[in-house]
């Protein structure tokens, strides 16, 4: 039987697999150290696993409510009240199967055919394809290394009468940079002036170092009715495979996004939801995870500095970025990553894989630090030894 392949959607037929999948598959095949895709090595917190075991043994295994278990919706609302002084009731929370599904539901709920959507480059890889699948047109505003600051003038230049939405990822993956308080106020003012929705991908909100507290664009004056905040337990507790996420928005907005969610995944496994709810209620657990990642971040950055790699500034996420040029490496980022995984046995992510539009830097790669120190040291030693063989 022949496949009517010409009827498959061209968005997907012409699309490569994600850079994360590509690098993880290569790492598995080659037995390389995987500092590419972001995930912690080692066991998750024992309390989280205990809560999961209890929910699995004593709780339901059937469809939970479409909006999420009430106990988790309440726990998310209290967590944000406690940690970010956000005043959003449980009715503003819709539980999703990871932040990826939350992004899809939010984008499908607000983007109509022909709408333009502002994205900041580098951009998480899911945004542009989802916007396009919704019939929207992504407009990229490039950010500049090393600080990746938001620049009002270039944002305003990218706004047209068709612009309806901006997507802000703060803290920003892959750079680890965070929006300054002034930037959030500036973006909120632009949303009000140009009547824009803000989709706020804040999955890294709890992975901020050096005592920096997270503030959401949703908390800015006037934003409660036009911002959709997205979070993920995968990042808060280091369990990326769980795929428990959520959106937080004004209850009437959340109710509409839930209509998109009900035909994407409909629900999320109840035992995972119950375990996340219990863990969010524990005042120490998220902080304990953060303390561990602060150590792994220091360990990776120290090893990189010892071996003469130039690390870009960053104060959040599980990632550190290396400036290849400043580290004495003439390869571009894609060549570096493709060769390093094969020749040095270390996987990384080239920043240009997360970039569309103008101004793409090709001299920066991302490394994931939430690994045991011995693994980080071995990876950096391998990279340094390999660098010395390059011309
Ligand atoms: N947004 C960003 C910025 C991310 O970095 C990630 C995952 N690393 C996601 C969304 C997806 O999160 P989840 O695994 O919960 O779907
Ligand atoms: N967001 C993860 C990262 O940045 C990857 C998620 C995925 O592979 N889809 O590494």
């Amino acid at each position: 039987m022949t496949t009517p392949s010409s009827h498959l959607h061209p968005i997907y037929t012409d699309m490569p697999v994600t850079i994360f999948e590509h690098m993880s598959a290569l790492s598995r095949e080659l037995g390389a150290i995987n500092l590419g895709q972001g995930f912690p090595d080692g066991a998750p917190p024992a309390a989280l696993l205990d809560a999961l075991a209890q929910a699995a043994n004593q709780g339901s295994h059937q469809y939970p409510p479409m909006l999420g278990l009430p106990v988790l919706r309440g726990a998310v609302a209290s967590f944000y009240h406690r940690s970010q002084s956000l005043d959003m009731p449980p009715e503003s929370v819709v539980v999703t199967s990871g932040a990826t599904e939350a992004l899809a539901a939010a984008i499908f709920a607000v983007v109509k055919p022909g709408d333009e959507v502002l994205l900041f480059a580098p951009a998480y890889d899911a945004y542009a394809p989802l916007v396009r699948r919704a019939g929207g047109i992504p407009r990229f505003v490039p950010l500049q290394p090393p600080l990746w600051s938001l620049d009002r003038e270039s944002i305003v230049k990218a706004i047209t009468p068709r612009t309806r939405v901006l997507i802000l990822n703060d803290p920003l993956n892959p750079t680890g940079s965070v929006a300054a308080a002034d930037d959030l106020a500036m973006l909120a003012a632009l949303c009000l002036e140009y009547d824009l929705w803000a989709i706020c991908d804040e999955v890294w909100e709890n992975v901020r170092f050096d005592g920096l507290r997270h503030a959401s664009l949703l908390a800015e004056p006037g934003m409660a009715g036009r911002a959709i905040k997205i979070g993920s337990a995968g990042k808060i507790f280091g369990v990326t495979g769980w795929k428990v996420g959520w959106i937080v928005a004004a209850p009437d907005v959340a109710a509409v996004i839930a209509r998109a969610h009900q035909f994407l995944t409909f629900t999320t496994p109840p035992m995972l939801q119950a375990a996340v709810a219990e863990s969010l209620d524990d005042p120490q657990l998220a902080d304990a995870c953060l303390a561990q990642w602060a150590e792994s971040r220091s360990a990776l950055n120290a090893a990189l500095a010892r071996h003469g790699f130039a690390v870009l500034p960053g104060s959040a996420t599980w990632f550190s970025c290396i400036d290849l040029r400043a580290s004495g490496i003439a390869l571009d980022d894609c060549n570096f990553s493709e060769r390093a995984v094969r020749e040095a046995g270390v996987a990384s992510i080239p920043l240009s894989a997360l970039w569309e539009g103008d101004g793409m830097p090709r001299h920066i790669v991302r490394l994931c630090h939430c690994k045991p120190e011995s693994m980080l040291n071995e990876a950096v030693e391998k990279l340094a030894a390999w660098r010395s063989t390059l011309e």
Side-chain angles (χ1 to χ4, degrees):
M1 208 173 82
T2 55
T3 322
S5 57
S6 58
H7 297 165
L8 291 171
H9 201 294
I11 285 185
Y12 300 116
T13 51
D14 296 340
M15 186 185 277
V17 295
T18 77
I19 187 67
F20 308 115
E21 177 67 16
H22 174 64
M23 279 297 158
S24 283
L26 273 177
S27 298
R28 284 190 290 265
E29 185 187 319
L30 300 167
I33 300 178
N34 190 356
L35 304 189
Q37 191 177 39
F39 60 88
D41 269 50
L48 187 74
L49 298 183
D50 289 346
L52 175 62
Q54 194 183 345
N57 286 323
Q58 289 165 28
S60 164
H61 288 260
Q62 310 309 330
Y63 295 131
M66 184 271 280
L67 296 169
L69 289 186
V71 69
L72 178 54
R73 298 175 72 203
V76 169
S78 317
F79 179 75
Y80 285 143
H81 184 69
R82 224 169 51 231
S83 59
Q84 295 174 25
S85 308
L86 268 188
D87 230 347
M88 301 294 282
E91 298 74 53
S92 63
V93 179
V94 178
V95 176
T96 59
S97 288
T100 311
E101 199 235 330
L103 282 164
I107 289 170
F108 293 166
V110 298
V111 176
K112 296 181 293 307
D115 286 353
E116 293 184 10
V117 178
L118 291 183
L119 302 179
F120 300 100
Y124 186 59
D125 61 351
Y127 303 157
L130 286 169
V131 167
R132 293 192 175 105
R133 199 66 182 89
I137 302 155
R139 295 280 179 229
F140 286 90
V141 179
L143 306 177
Q144 303 297 332
L147 298 179
W148 314 100
S149 314
L150 294 156
D151 170 46
R152 185 178 188 281
E153 208 176 308
S154 22
I155 301 172
V156 169
K157 241 195 252 163
I159 296 177
T160 77
R162 310 191 75 161
T163 311
R164 296 278 177 276
V165 186
L166 67 79
I167 301 184
L168 176 70
N169 177 207
D170 177 41
L172 180 60
N173 175 12
T175 62
S177 49
V178 301
D182 288 356
D183 294 337
L184 294 181
M186 177 270 288
L187 287 177
L190 287 181
C191 287
L192 294 176
E193 184 177 346
Y194 292 94
D195 194 18
L196 306 180
W197 283 99
I199 297 179
C200 314
D201 179 346
E202 299 177 11
V203 298
W204 297 104
E205 60 201 342
N206 230 55
V207 191
R208 295 171 71 116
F209 304 107
D210 309 325
L212 277 176
R213 267 172 69 99
H214 183 72
S216 176
L217 182 55
L218 185 146
E220 290 292 318
M223 290 303 288
R226 56 174 72 243
I228 300 162
K229 174 176 163 73
I230 291 172
S232 174
K235 305 298 188 281
I236 296 173
F237 299 115
V239 283
T240 60
W242 282 30
K243 301 297 283 188
V244 177
W246 48 80
I247 62 124
V248 179
D252 54 334
V253 177
V256 174
I257 299 171
R259 298 297 189 268
H261 156 73
Q262 72 180 347
F263 293 131
L264 286 167
T265 62
F266 185 59
T267 53
T268 300
M271 66 297 281
L272 298 176
Q273 291 193 50
V276 170
E278 195 172 320
S279 304
L280 284 174
D281 281 341
D282 178 335
Q284 265 112 45
L285 206 51
D287 287 349
C289 292
L290 181 63
Q292 204 180 340
W293 299 326
E295 283 180 20
S296 64
R297 169 185 180 240
S298 301
L300 177 61
N301 288 351
L304 288 168
R306 258 194 327 273
H307 288 89
F309 289 97
V311 179
L312 291 178
S315 33
T317 76
W318 293 333
F319 311 115
S320 293
C321 285
I322 312 179
D323 181 330
L324 296 178
R325 282 201 303 246
S327 306
I329 297 169
L331 298 174
D332 72 34
D333 60 346
C334 288
N335 264 315
F336 175 93
S337 291
E338 287 295 330
R339 286 186 58 182
V341 67
R342 290 181 173 81
E343 297 170 24
V346 180
S348 57
I349 299 293
L351 228 73
S352 63
L354 302 173
W355 200 292
E356 279 187 51
D358 301 334
M360 185 190 301
R362 293 190 182 273
H363 62 286
I364 300 172
V365 297
R366 190 194 87 173
L367 297 176
C368 175
H369 64 68
C370 47
K371 313 283 172 184
E373 190 168 345
S374 56
M375 184 188 286
L376 296 172
N377 287 336
E378 189 187 344
V380 177
E381 279 157 23
K382 281 170 178 263
L383 285 175
W386 172 67
R387 178 183 55 188
S388 66
T389 68
L390 299 172
E391 289 178 352

